[in-house]
């Protein structure tokens, strides 16, 4: 698909309400993306392209379903969803983003993903993700009927297979979980619920069949082609209603709804700072100025997280 035929909708997602950052984001993106929307929890202002949403940020995939009627347009070819603290390289704009991400009119984009059953090291949201699907399988209030809105287990496994994901081995091991339990009462409670679920279903807790094909993935930068936006948003809404953690819900919804998905290209990757000390050091070196930040890291597709309340644009 040629760049001239693409019409991009940029949707910026706020985990929390930060009205003060709207002007900064407009300054960053207004000259680069003609069509911009902001999904902001509990917004009650009067800016027309800011859409109020109502959901726990741990399930912010629900924002997409709630916001869709407001940002959907038949003319758009792609919907670009980014977190408010993920800043795109200034060289990226509506005219070249499709080329830079190596996608076409049928392709989605997700930086990276991993089937939940292949995660060898402990991830704190694995148990809660399994429990969310377990609750939906029970088919009692308030989850009754939610699974009926998704592909069946076998249908979902087949949909993942078209992306080269083999879900035949859909058991997950928790043999390394015990080293992470010390003093964590919340996790202990989740573990008890999980073991109870395992026993009820006659599974060994060390190797348990996943209740549904699930992925884990980076969810702060997602591109969805127009042909898939309705189905993707619906699945996001269903997963939100199940209280499925967002980094499981978004990649799973994307892979169930899109024909082709590209991951980040090795020559134009995103840059993440998960170490707070490292991020603070970089911010000080750049004098908390976004322009200086991208002068320093101009070869990266995006930088995340950049908390704009502290930064100049």
């Amino acid at each position: 698909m040629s760049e001239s035929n693409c019409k991009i909708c940029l949707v910026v997602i706020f985990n929390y309400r930060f009205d003060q950052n709207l002007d900064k984001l407009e300054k960053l993106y207004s000259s680069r993306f003609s069509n911009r929307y902001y999904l902001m929890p509990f917004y009650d202002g009067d800016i027309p392209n800011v859409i109020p949403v109502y959901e726990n940020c741990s399930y912010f995939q629900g924002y997409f379903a709630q916001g869709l009627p407001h940002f959907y347009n038949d003319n758009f070819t792609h919907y670009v969803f980014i977190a408010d603290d993920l800043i795109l390289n200034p060289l990226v704009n509506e005219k070249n983003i499709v080329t830079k991400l190596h996608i076409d009119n049928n392709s989605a984009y997700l930086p990276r993903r991993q089937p939940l059953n292949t995660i060898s090291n402990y991830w704190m949201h694995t148990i809660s993700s399994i429990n969310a699907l377990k609750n939906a399988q029970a088919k009692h209030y308030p989850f009754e009927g939610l699974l009926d809105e998704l592909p069946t287990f076998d249908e979902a496994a087949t949909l993942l297979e078209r992306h080269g994901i083999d879900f035949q081995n859909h058991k997950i091991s928790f043999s390394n979980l015990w080293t992470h339990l010390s003093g964590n009462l919340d996790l202990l409670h989740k573990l008890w619920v999980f073991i109870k679920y395992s026993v009820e279903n006659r599974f060994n807790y060390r190797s348990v069949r996943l209740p549904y094909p699930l992925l884990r993935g980076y969810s702060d930068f997602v591109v969805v082609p127009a042909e898939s936006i309705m189905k993707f948003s619906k699945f996001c809404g269903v997963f939100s209603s199940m209280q499925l953690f967002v980094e499981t819900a978004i990649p799973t919804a994307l892979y169930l709804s899109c024909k082709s998905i590209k991951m980040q290209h090795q020559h134009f990757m995103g840059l993440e700072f998960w170490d707070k000390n490292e991020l603070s050091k970089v911010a000080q070196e750049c004098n908390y100025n976004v322009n200086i930040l991208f002068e320093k890291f101009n070869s990266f597709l995006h930088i995340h997280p950049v908390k704009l309340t502290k930064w100049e644009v």
Side-chain angles (χ1 to χ4, degrees):
M1 188 177 206
S2 67
E3 293 174 352
S4 60
N5 293 328
C6 293
K7 194 169 181 65
I8 306 298
C9 176
L10 179 69
V11 182
V12 180
I13 308 148
F14 284 79
N15 276 336
Y16 305 98
R17 182 171 179 176
F18 287 109
D19 297 43
Q20 63 268 40
N21 286 347
L22 287 169
D23 287 343
K24 293 182 178 181
L25 287 163
E26 279 288 281
K27 189 173 181 181
L28 282 171
Y29 296 121
S30 61
S31 64
R32 296 155 54 192
F33 293 90
S34 304
N35 304 286
R36 303 172 309 283
Y37 294 89
Y38 302 93
L39 302 180
M40 183 179 289
F42 314 113
Y43 179 72
D44 58 1
D46 56 4
I47 302 175
N49 63 335
V50 183
I51 302 167
V53 288
Y54 308 92
E55 181 55 87
N56 185 315
C57 67
S58 292
Y59 320 116
F60 73 69
Q61 69 271 14
Y63 298 177
F64 302 168
Q66 292 180 33
L68 181 65
H70 302 278
F71 60 72
Y72 176 82
N73 188 301
D74 284 336
N75 294 323
F76 294 146
T77 60
H78 299 82
Y79 295 82
V80 178
F81 298 96
I82 61 172
D84 65 307
D85 61 351
L86 182 147
I87 308 302
L88 291 176
N89 189 307
L91 298 176
V92 176
N93 56 57
E94 63 188 355
K95 297 185 182 300
N96 63 20
I97 190 169
V98 166
T99 299
K100 289 187 177 297
L101 297 181
H102 300 273
I103 59 178
D104 56 29
N105 60 331
N106 300 121
S107 300
Y109 173 82
L110 187 73
R112 53 186 177 268
R113 54 78 178 157
Q114 184 178 10
L116 203 62
N117 60 308
T118 66
I119 298 176
S120 58
N121 59 326
Y122 171 71
W123 185 46
M124 64 181 296
H125 297 290
T126 299
I127 295 175
S128 65
S129 295
I130 291 175
N131 287 338
L133 268 297
K134 179 264 296 182
N135 289 334
Q137 282 183 329
K139 295 185 177 181
H140 56 66
Y141 178 85
F143 304 101
E144 187 172 358
L146 289 178
L147 279 182
D148 296 336
E149 302 300 330
L150 297 172
T152 66
F153 185 104
D154 290 339
E155 289 169 344
T158 299
L159 289 172
L160 293 187
E161 284 176 4
R162 70 181 176 180
H163 299 290
I165 301 172
D166 182 4
F167 209 78
Q168 296 305 314
N169 179 22
H170 46 261
K171 291 186 177 181
I172 188 166
S173 172
F174 282 83
S175 59
N176 63 345
L177 182 62
W178 303 103
T179 58
H180 302 270
L181 293 179
S182 178
N184 191 330
L185 296 179
D186 179 59
L187 183 57
L188 284 170
H189 171 72
K190 291 178 180 178
L191 177 64
W192 166 246
V193 174
F194 172 74
I195 292 176
K196 183 173 179 290
Y197 162 66
S198 304
V199 172
E200 289 172 350
N201 290 276
R202 299 180 181 178
F203 297 129
N204 185 314
Y205 70 88
R206 292 182 181 272
S207 183
V208 176
R209 182 180 188 270
L210 286 175
Y212 198 79
L214 294 173
L215 304 175
R216 168 195 176 185
Y218 189 85
S219 299
D220 291 298
F221 186 10
V222 182
V223 180
V224 184
E227 67 174 20
S228 304
I229 190 64
M230 291 293 188
K231 188 175 289 187
F232 169 74
S233 297
K234 175 185 176 179
F235 293 160
C236 281
V238 174
F239 286 143
S240 177
S241 298
M242 290 181 180
Q243 299 180 341
L244 183 65
F245 184 63
V246 63
E247 289 183 6
T248 299
I250 286 179
T252 303
L254 195 71
Y255 275 79
L256 292 180
S257 57
C258 298
K259 295 176 182 177
S260 173
I261 300 172
K262 306 292 185 181
M263 289 187 284
Q264 67 180 352
H265 195 275
Q266 61 179 347
H267 299 301
F268 201 29
M269 301 178 67
L271 175 63
E272 290 88 34
F273 293 102
W274 301 124
D275 185 302
K276 291 183 178 180
N277 293 329
E278 183 182 8
L279 178 60
S280 177
K281 179 182 178 181
V282 169
Q284 292 174 29
E285 290 174 352
C286 297
N287 198 26
Y288 286 89
N289 186 295
V290 171
N291 294 322
I292 298 175
L293 179 68
F294 274 102
E295 288 175 4
K296 183 179 180 66
F297 300 104
N298 59 15
S299 63
F300 290 94
L301 170 63
H302 68 259
I303 298 177
H304 180 225
V306 179
K307 305 297 184 183
L308 287 177
T309 49
K310 299 180 179 180
W311 289 75
E312 293 181 12
V313 175

